[in-house]
Amino acid sequence: MAWHAMDYTENDIDRLMRENQRELRDLADAAQSLREVVGRGESRSGLTKAVVDADGRLQSVTFAPRVLRLDVAALQDEVVQAVRQAQEDQDRQTRGLLGVPEAQLGLEDIQRQFEEFRDLFAAETSERNMRMRRLAERDPYDD
């Protein structure tokens, strides 16, 4: 069996370098976009609004004047609703930038996917090991 080195021209190397530079720029742009995500949310009544940063941390809460008519429990509920909506908005935007589907996987789905991945990995590893053993058993002077 003869081993051949792959031949690359200077143009091939230049093209690969340009592609790598473009991918690095795209990655840097995506990282910057993720840092700039701001989630906004509003309570069901519209009396309370919240803003969270890219990490989902609360940045501000604003109240409509009518919020003063609420009791403490209702006001707490207003704030929680607005913050949760803002965090969900931030999460939706982040998932959109990353290309992650919105549907949440349940524990059973995650376990099933992990088992499928494990089985596929085991099969591929076994195949690679068999090929390595066959190569090791060959006499290099047979060719």
Side-chain angles (χ1 to χ4, degrees):
M1 181 171 152
W3 294 93
H4 298 284
M6 188 167 235
D7 294 323
Y8 287 102
T9 67
E10 191 172 319
N11 289 336
D12 293 331
I13 294 171
D14 287 342
R15 182 180 45 79
L16 288 171
M17 292 295 289
R18 284 191 306 276
E19 287 175 9
N20 285 342
Q21 289 171 345
R22 185 178 60 248
E23 288 175 9
L24 286 172
R25 262 193 319 275
D26 291 348
L27 185 58
D29 291 346
Q32 181 62 34
S33 295
L34 287 172
R35 286 190 295 274
E36 294 172 357
V37 169
V38 174
R40 299 181 190 287
E42 187 175 306
S43 64
R44 286 187 289 276
S45 70
L47 296 176
T48 307
K49 296 180 182 180
V51 176
V52 298
D53 66 12
D55 295 318
R57 291 186 302 248
L58 185 62
Q59 297 299 300
S60 68
V61 176
T62 57
F63 301 103
R66 291 188 355 242
V67 80
L68 297 174
R69 298 180 194 155
L70 300 176
D71 63 22
V72 172
L75 179 59
Q76 289 171 338
D77 190 46
E78 286 282 314
V79 172
V80 169
Q81 288 173 23
V83 171
R84 283 190 180 151
Q85 289 297 314
Q87 290 169 331
E88 288 173 9
D89 180 48
Q90 178 270 342
D91 184 58
R92 225 180 349 267
Q93 290 180 59
T94 300
R95 287 175 172 277
L97 287 170
L98 295 174
V100 176
E102 287 221 17
Q104 296 291 325
L105 293 177
L107 181 58
E108 290 176 8
D109 292 326
I110 293 170
Q111 287 174 331
R112 181 183 46 74
Q113 286 185 357
F114 177 76
E115 289 169 4
E116 289 172 5
F117 171 75
R118 184 191 62 209
D119 294 345
L120 180 62
F121 178 77
E124 289 176 355
T125 300
S126 176
E127 176 65 26
R128 276 193 301 274
N129 287 341
M130 276 189 349
R131 284 193 310 242
M132 293 292 283
R133 277 193 294 277
R134 282 189 297 231
L135 285 172
E137 291 170 358
R138 286 187 183 167
D139 186 346
Y141 299 106
D142 283 346
D143 294 334

